[in-house]
Amino acid sequence: MSNFPYLSLLTVAPAIGGVVVALLPKDKPELVKRIALGWSVAVLAVAVAMWAGFSAGGPRMQFRESYPWIPAWDVRFTFAADGIALVMLALIALLVPLVILASWHDAENSRRSVPVYFALMLFLESTMIGVFAAADVFLFYVFFEVMLVPMYFLIGSYGGQQRQYAAVKFFLYSLVGGLFMLAAVVGLWVLGGHTFDWQTLIKADFSTGTERWLFLGFFLAFAIKAPFFPFHTWLPDAGGAAPAGAAALLVGVMDKVGTFGILRYCLPLFPNASKYFAPLGMALALVGIVYAALLAIGQNDLKRLVSYTSIAHFGFIGIGIFAFTTQAATGAVLYMFNHGLATGLLFLVVGMLVARRGSALIGDFGGAGKYVPALAGVFFFAGMASLALPGTSPFVSEFLVLVGTFTVNKTVAVVATFGIILAAGYVLWMIQRTIQGTPNPALERVEAAKRDISLREAVVVTPLIALILVLGFYPKPVLDVINPAVKATLSDVGASDPAPTAGAITKEAGK
Amino acid sequence: MQLTTLAEAVSFTSPSGVLSSFWLLIAIPLVSAAILLLLGRRADRWGHLLGVASVGAAFVLGLVYFISLSGLDNKELSLNLFRFMPVGDLKVDVGLLYDPLSAMFVLLITGVGFLIHVYAVGYMEHDPGRRRFFGYFNLFVAAMLLLVLGNNYVMLYVGWEGVGLASYLLISFWYLRPSAATAGKKAFIMNRVGDAGFVIGIFLLFATLGTVQYDEVFNNISKLSAGTVTAVGLLLLIGACGKSGQFPLQAWLPDAMEGPTPVSALIHAATMVTAGVYLVARSHPIFDASETAKTVVVCIGALTLLIGCVIGCAKDDIKRVLAWSTVSQIGYMFLAVGLGGAAYALGLIHLLAHGFFKAGLFLGAGSVMHGMNDQTDIRRFGGLRRYMPITWATTGLGYLALIGIPPLSGFFSKEPIIVSAYHHEGWLGWVLGTAALLGSGLTAFYMTRLFVLTFHGPKRWTDDVKHPHESPKIMTIPLVLLAVGSVAAGGLLATSVPDWLTPVFGEQVEHGENWLVTGLTILVTLGGVGLAWVLFSKGTAPQEAPAGPVVTAARNNLYADAFNEAVFEMPGKYLTRALVYLDNRGIDGLVNGLAAAVGGGSGRLRRAQTGFVRSYALSILGGALLVVAAMLAVTLG
């Protein structure tokens, strides 16, 4: 089965779906939505089959396909996936149908074209899958940039207040980062043997100076995308203005391209430079954890608040990557996946609350649990997952990141652990101001704010809640897939785990 | 000091027969909680029954396992269910340990828990959220059982955070009350401060020993440097202080009384708040290896027991007096487990005895509130003995047990701790012993004050209270059973627990009796009772009277809240505000400034730019699609 062209199919299928949906008549919104949903569910089915066909103990890159594209530069449509890409692809395939279902009425409410909205969603899915599935550096770059376009329109045309400003900022900022990467991509081709093939390029050697410059080109693009402090200011604007579904995809998946890129490109292609710059990466990530958490506490808009929490979470992923230990890096990858589930859920639930109230301002809520107890319960659950409570899957990843970091850098791990106290602060204060306390009299007057979770919304949140809980207690299926890829990546960098400092231990006590 | 425990190896065996199913202890309440919370209103009619039944079933199983365990030679049974986090050298199992220590806790949690569940059926009868309440209550029991049954520090931590969650949910159970929501948040965050210390301790164990399993850690403590052992001990202690409301993390516990009274009885008196004592007792090989860590434990214990007593004397809210009393009594337990050696068992005896009488006292307070329109101010009670005779009798026994009147349980559990404290070497022993002795006098004073003002003396009721009444049977029967426990448990526990715990702590040399200290303790206690009786038997002013600086300080929780607010909360608020400003104006301003500079620097140009980028984006999409299509056509053709 591994010869089946899963990756190209996964990349192309949603785009075809997007074209189909876009061509449907505007006056049949229900049909449009059903086809879009059905299409994305079919894509999910393919992704599930692919996961089943992935052999965790097999070769690093699987499902490889390669078709010529621009022979003059040896640019090829090469797709291949390792365990890290696999979990991200699964996450996309899972989130998109849920987001489509969650965004059922978003387009009507913004009085814009329904077919275009769902077509954009499917285009976005196609480009996001492409970026994770690409194994040709040029192809990766193309997807990296093209991915911006559907998101730009989703924010700019269907977003809330200040959507134009947010969309432009998002687009330009990412584009600037991408241009630095483009320069590095070209440099890589020139110095790396006139090829873009990832599996060939990782064997290339560069002089120290060159390697560092190329690293920086990629790293800057990824640090903006992730985003790391201090390149983060576009995210709260974009996340605040985007429709909730698009925001869930933006933060849940698209931003992961940044951290994925560091793992897939920076570390294997430029191992020495990665080690050289690791303290910088770690410092930015660490600042992000504390800084963004404090900013999240200070927000008065729900969507901006969740965006800031994500920046803090990306900080955890960042230190996990640059600690170069098995636990930390595995934790970081798992974090990318779990964060997609947890923050995806949080954004979707926030979207449901905002749609009811007609405002994302925290001050417009208060005591909402009185009117929408079930929705408030889901919101609370998403908050708990977001602060990485044990029993939810983010705990596993956060624990792994911290314990793995601690073995090599105690100071960083200890400071990052303070992040978990701040996380409790921003989540609980958000919950206190929205669903607890004296009910806001304005809620009484808004009819919609008194409707509890609908069946459609329940269908959206249930799979996410179930996965967060199951993987919170039994993360092994995902860990097994991630582990080999992480080990291979770390051996590219030449890193190995430190031995316990007290020496070997005895199972049974000596006499 | 005691070095016997160090030399002995810990070796766990696998359970067999009926004991191999001891994971059911956790599974039953957990499944019940899931059913209650997921079914929603559909379970409203019978939810509470399921909640009670699941804890009852766990108690029966706990008894069966307890009896089976007592017949075994090797009493430390470890069961690995499945692998939780296998990454590199880190191997964490979902693994459980059933040994004499955890067996004892299981009985306390499920036994007292069952009685409080039964009581809550009556107490919460008219509350529309009763099913949700029992869902959270069951969740708590499951998490608490995981806490005491885990066989490694990560499982302990998972349970630890789980009980924190349940505690938060139950403190802010009436979440539409702002005070309840605030109290829940405060509890959660202060606990997380402790948890951060705890989890760093776990990291340190993994970094140095490469394992988080109890047996592997305990058997290799000698490989660690003295500094590392002390660091691990102190980090675990931070966690213990958070959960158990010990100095300097004590401020959340009295606020936790915002929750329904059964919650205060089960979680914030009998079980969860003693988790810190469990952590220290469970980690005894670590503390035994570090004199410094033990000294810190005893100092915190002694200091907290005095703080609790002093504040308890000045409070008027019946539940808050009891809450500060809990803080103080856990201080005694910390003192005991910090002394180590034979005192480990003493701390645990006091923990069990306290579980009974404090649960009974809280439920008694709940019964009083039930009959008095949910009032809590003891200045507004008085003369209730005639109206609630059963509550009077059971609360009275709990009160006498708590202050340590022989032969009730508190006497057997607290007095030996005071004796042991005096046996500590050097001047510190005198300080600790005297603090503990003084504490028992103060305890007698504030408890007598509470009891007399509530049940005796003239009525000082508010006008809306017309007919105070005794609570229904479903509430009084648990009260009676807990009172029986308060009377009988002490002597029973004092004679049996030390032997029962020998497999865990090793053989210990016990200190002999010290009749001088015993006599002094009784004398001081009676003095406290007498003084309070003289002052309060005639009642008190219905309103707070102006008071001197000491009383004012005590009423304000010795300014711990003010300190936290001034040192953490206010600066934190200003810091976040300043950062929000910095981020919007500084960092983002830089970004936008750069963009504006590139674009020409004017608002008008930015608008022009907007249009430009939109079309630019469109052209990229179009171009990309075109190129892809063309290239596909070329390559396929």
Side-chain angles (χ1 to χ4, degrees):
Chain A
M1 276 300 275
S2 65
N3 290 329
F4 188 83
Y6 281 114
L7 294 169
S8 53
L9 179 66
L10 279 174
T11 310
V12 174
I16 297 172
V19 172
V20 170
V21 168
L23 294 176
L24 289 171
K26 273 188 186 178
D27 53 353
K28 289 193 178 132
E30 278 303 308
L31 180 71
V32 167
K33 293 170 187 173
R34 283 186 190 164
I35 290 184
L37 180 63
W39 207 289
S40 61
V41 170
V43 171
L44 173 61
V46 176
V48 170
M50 179 176 75
W51 184 297
F54 187 85
S55 130
R60 179 176 185 180
M61 302 300 270
Q62 300 186 23
F63 312 117
R64 186 181 161 91
E65 302 168 54
S66 192
Y67 316 103
W69 182 9
I70 312 173
W73 299 335
D74 194 29
V75 176
R76 300 174 65 87
F77 288 106
T78 306
F79 296 106
D82 59 1
I84 303 172
L86 182 78
V87 294
M88 292 314 296
L89 293 172
L91 180 65
I92 298 168
L94 173 76
L95 278 183
V96 169
L98 297 177
V99 164
I100 288 178
L101 194 59
S103 314
W104 212 245
H105 301 300
D106 283 7
E108 284 105 321
N109 293 345
S110 65
R111 295 187 195 154
R112 300 257 178 174
S113 161
V114 175
V116 173
Y117 186 72
F118 290 96
L120 285 170
M121 286 268 177
L122 290 170
F123 283 130
L124 183 63
E125 177 171 30
S126 161
T127 53
M128 289 193 305
I129 290 180
V131 84
F132 287 106
D136 179 285
V137 181
F138 190 80
L139 184 65
F140 171 80
Y141 171 74
V142 169
F143 277 120
F144 186 85
E145 296 287 40
V146 174
M147 184 172 68
L148 300 176
V149 178
M151 185 55 86
Y152 171 79
F153 283 110
L154 282 172
I155 299 174
S157 302
Y158 296 88
Q161 282 179 344
Q162 287 220 307
R163 55 175 184 262
Q164 293 288 334
Y165 168 75
V168 171
K169 192 166 173 181
F170 156 76
F171 195 94
L172 276 182
Y173 215 145
S174 300
L175 199 70
V176 169
L179 289 178
F180 282 98
M181 182 163 86
L182 178 62
V185 168
V186 172
L188 195 60
W189 183 81
V190 172
L191 302 167
H194 295 238
T195 178
F196 286 113
D197 185 60
W198 183 85
Q199 274 159 302
T200 316
L201 281 170
I202 54 170
K203 296 177 195 116
D205 283 320
F206 306 99
S207 71
T208 310
T210 316
E211 195 184 327
R212 286 181 191 169
W213 281 111
L214 293 177
F215 174 92
L216 283 179
F218 277 90
F219 181 73
L220 187 63
F222 296 145
I224 290 173
K225 182 107 271 179
F228 287 156
F229 175 89
F231 308 111
H232 63 274
T233 53
W234 64 269
L235 182 62
D237 286 330
L249 290 179
L250 173 69
V251 178
V253 181
M254 199 191 241
D255 290 353
K256 308 290 169 31
V257 177
T259 45
F260 171 82
I262 295 173
L263 279 166
R264 171 65 76 78
Y265 295 94
C266 290
L267 266 49
L269 293 176
F270 321 113
N272 297 318
S274 296
K275 271 191 259 185
Y276 179 77
F277 285 114
L280 172 74
M282 213 161 208
L284 293 184
L286 189 63
V287 172
I289 292 175
V290 177
Y291 181 79
L294 287 171
L295 277 164
I297 295 174
Q299 296 305 307
N300 51 19
D301 176 298
L302 277 174
K303 285 156 90 181
R304 288 181 68 89
L305 193 160
V306 178
S307 303
Y308 273 109
T309 69
S310 282
I311 300 168
H313 292 148
F314 275 99
F316 280 102
I317 300 175
I319 62 167
I321 290 174
F322 285 110
F324 298 143
T325 64
T326 323
Q327 290 88 22
T330 305
V333 176
L334 189 63
Y335 211 124
M336 287 159 61
F337 182 76
N338 287 334
H339 178 260
L341 300 178
T343 305
L345 177 65
L346 189 56
F347 249 126
L348 292 177
V349 182
V350 163
M352 294 170 191
L353 286 168
V354 171
R356 281 167 168 73
R357 181 67 182 87
S359 162
L361 287 180
I362 294 175
D364 286 336
F365 291 88
K370 181 181 176 190
Y371 302 107
V372 286
L375 190 59
V378 178
F379 183 52
F380 177 76
F381 178 87
M384 290 298 110
S386 211
L387 63 78
L389 193 82
T392 64
S393 58
F395 164 70
V396 179
S397 31
E398 200 165 283
F399 183 84
L400 287 173
V401 164
L402 290 173
V403 79
T405 306
F406 190 89
T407 56
V408 289
N409 193 329
K410 294 190 172 49
T411 317
V412 169
V414 168
V415 174
T417 306
F418 283 111
I420 74 170
I421 303 172
L422 295 175
Y426 60 66
V427 168
L428 293 178
W429 204 35
M430 170 180 80
I431 284 168
Q432 189 186 0
R433 288 180 294 168
T434 48
I435 59 177
Q436 299 178 330
T438 315
N440 188 332
L443 288 173
E444 182 68 40
R445 291 193 293 272
V446 182
E447 229 16 75
K450 289 187 268 185
R451 264 197 302 274
D452 209 349
I453 196 162
S454 70
L455 181 64
R456 172 179 62 83
E457 289 167 332
V459 172
V460 171
V461 298
T462 305
L464 291 173
I465 293 175
L467 266 177
I468 288 172
L469 283 176
V470 169
L471 295 177
F473 286 100
Y474 191 59
K476 201 165 167 290
V478 183
L479 285 175
D480 286 348
V481 172
I482 297 172
N483 248 324
V486 163
K487 278 193 185 129
T489 307
L490 289 180
S491 80
D492 288 339
V493 192
S496 58
D497 291 351
T501 52
I505 56 159
T506 42
K507 276 268 179 197
E508 303 289 319
K511 294 284 160 340
Chain B
M1 285 302 290
Q2 294 295 335
L3 290 173
T4 44
T5 46
L6 269 183
E8 282 179 33
V10 180
S11 80
F12 298 159
T13 47
S14 299
S16 59
V18 65
L19 276 166
S20 52
S21 63
F22 77 83
W23 54 271
L24 279 173
L25 286 170
I26 301 167
I28 292 172
L30 188 64
V31 168
S32 169
I35 292 173
L36 292 179
L37 294 176
L38 288 177
L39 278 188
R41 285 187 206 117
R42 274 154 288 185
D44 270 354
R45 265 190 313 121
W46 46 266
H48 52 285
L49 299 178
L50 177 67
V52 172
S54 67
V55 179
F59 177 61
V60 172
L61 273 178
L63 273 179
V64 171
Y65 296 140
F66 185 88
I67 292 163
S68 317
L69 186 72
S70 58
L72 293 181
D73 289 334
N74 191 334
K75 290 194 171 62
E76 293 170 300
L77 308 174
S78 169
L79 176 69
N80 284 332
L81 296 174
F82 56 86
R83 195 134 268 193
F84 185 37
M85 289 188 229
V87 181
D89 295 330
L90 178 73
K91 289 178 183 61
V92 180
D93 290 313
V94 171
L96 305 177
L97 171 68
Y98 191 69
D99 73 342
L101 183 62
S102 42
M104 233 169 62
F105 268 91
V106 167
L107 287 184
L108 173 74
I109 296 160
T110 55
V112 174
F114 174 69
L115 293 178
I116 298 177
H117 272 68
V118 171
Y119 175 95
V121 171
Y123 191 85
M124 299 297 287
E125 191 175 358
H126 304 295
D127 195 296
R130 182 164 72 167
R131 171 198 49 81
R132 184 166 60 92
F133 177 85
F134 276 92
Y136 296 162
F137 234 28
N138 278 182
L139 178 69
F140 166 76
V141 171
M144 187 73 205
L145 288 170
L146 176 64
L147 192 163
V148 298
L149 284 170
N151 74 1
N152 60 65
Y153 278 103
V154 174
M155 280 304 111
L156 172 55
Y157 184 74
V158 171
W160 191 266
E161 291 265 287
V163 293
L165 168 71
S167 157
Y168 165 84
L169 288 169
L170 286 161
I171 294 170
S172 35
F173 181 73
W174 290 309
Y175 57 88
L176 296 177
R177 289 185 193 167
S179 58
T182 306
K185 185 184 67 179
K186 182 175 176 184
F188 199 116
I189 292 177
M190 287 194 89
N191 267 292
R192 271 243 153 171
V193 174
D195 297 350
F198 182 10
V199 82
I200 293 172
I202 299 178
F203 299 156
L204 187 54
L205 283 175
F206 176 71
T208 49
L209 292 174
T211 179
V212 293
Q213 287 286 123
Y214 291 153
D215 48 354
E216 291 172 10
V217 170
F218 297 160
N219 287 335
N220 292 281
I221 289 293
S222 55
K223 293 202 173 69
L224 296 178
S225 69
T228 309
V229 178
T230 302
V232 172
L234 292 180
L235 287 164
L236 296 183
L237 182 62
I238 295 174
C241 287
K243 192 80 27 197
S244 290
Q246 297 295 291
F247 180 83
L249 296 173
Q250 80 281 15
W252 68 270
L253 184 53
D255 286 12
M257 301 302 125
E258 288 290 340
T261 306
V263 174
S264 313
L266 179 59
I267 301 184
H268 305 115
T271 55
M272 183 188 85
V273 289
T274 60
V277 182
Y278 171 80
L279 178 61
V280 175
R282 174 59 79 199
S283 311
H284 68 94
I286 295 173
F287 287 93
D288 283 338
S290 166
E291 272 310 309
T292 317
K294 279 170 86 167
T295 307
V296 176
V297 177
V298 289
C299 291
I300 285 180
L303 181 61
T304 313
L305 81 85
L306 284 178
I307 291 176
C309 287
V310 169
I311 300 177
C313 291
K315 290 281 167 179
D316 290 334
D317 179 312
I318 186 167
K319 284 177 73 182
R320 288 190 192 235
V321 176
L322 291 176
W324 283 109
S325 160
T326 303
V327 169
S328 158
Q329 295 304 308
I330 297 172
Y332 277 101
M333 299 172 209
F334 267 64
L335 175 60
V337 293
L339 291 170
Y344 279 123
L346 298 181
L348 293 163
I349 293 168
H350 192 52
L351 190 156
L352 294 175
H354 176 260
F356 274 97
F357 58 67
K358 190 52 75 61
L361 283 168
F362 264 114
L363 295 188
S367 177
V368 170
M369 289 160 58
H370 203 70
M372 294 288 283
N373 287 357
D374 282 333
Q375 287 207 19
T376 55
D377 189 346
I378 51 176
R379 288 174 183 274
R380 292 309 207 152
F381 295 156
L384 288 176
R385 179 171 72 131
R386 269 200 301 137
Y387 300 90
M388 342 183 149
I390 303 178
T391 306
W392 169 76
T394 58
T395 306
L397 288 171
Y399 145 67
L400 292 176
L402 169 58
I403 66 173
I405 296 294
L408 281 79
S409 66
F411 172 73
F412 290 101
S413 63
K414 196 161 55 176
E415 188 269 343
I417 297 179
I418 302 173
V419 174
S420 297
Y422 273 115
H423 277 280
H424 192 280
E425 290 159 356
W427 58 270
L428 188 60
W430 286 96
V431 175
L432 297 174
T434 311
L437 186 65
L438 190 64
S440 72
L442 288 168
T443 308
F445 176 81
Y446 69 73
M447 281 308 296
T448 309
R449 173 175 178 263
L450 177 143
F451 187 73
V452 169
L453 286 182
T454 304
F455 292 104
H456 295 272
K459 300 170 188 171
R460 299 173 304 279
W461 309 344
T462 45
D463 297 337
D464 56 327
V465 178
K466 295 278 188 300
H467 308 288
H469 56 85
E470 185 58 276
S471 299
K473 279 219 173 60
I474 194 155
M475 289 166 68
T476 50
I477 290 173
L479 282 177
V480 171
L481 291 174
L482 286 169
V484 169
S486 312
V487 174
L492 231 69
L493 292 170
T495 48
S496 59
V497 168
D499 285 341
W500 174 250
L501 288 176
T502 302
V504 181
F505 299 117
E507 290 289 345
Q508 302 290 352
V509 188
E510 294 204 31
H511 301 297
E513 299 293 329
N514 187 329
W515 295 111
L516 180 67
V517 175
T518 308
L520 264 178
T521 308
I522 295 177
L523 215 62
V524 168
T525 304
L526 290 177
V529 172
L531 184 62
W533 183 266
V534 169
L535 285 175
F536 300 112
S537 62
K538 301 225 168 55
T540 178
Q543 252 83 43
E544 254 179 51
V550 180
V551 178
T552 311
R555 277 204 186 124
N556 288 305
N557 302 340
L558 299 179
Y559 303 115
D561 288 321
F563 176 84
N564 288 339
E565 194 173 315
V567 176
F568 299 110
E569 228 177 292
M570 289 317 286
K573 237 174 218 170
Y574 288 120
L575 179 66
T576 50
R577 266 187 223 156
L579 284 181
V580 169
Y581 186 82
L582 174 80
D583 203 51
N584 291 341
R585 297 296 154 83
I587 297 184
D588 201 32
L590 207 66
V591 171
N592 283 346
L594 211 65
V598 172
S602 83
R604 194 179 295 177
L605 261 178
R606 199 163 70 185
R607 243 178 284 142
Q609 213 178 31
T610 306
F612 174 69
V613 174
R614 274 169 66 84
S615 55
Y616 187 34
L618 198 64
S619 62
I620 286 192
L621 179 66
L625 285 176
L626 209 68
V627 171
V628 171
M631 287 304 155
L632 275 176
V634 169
T635 47
L636 296 178

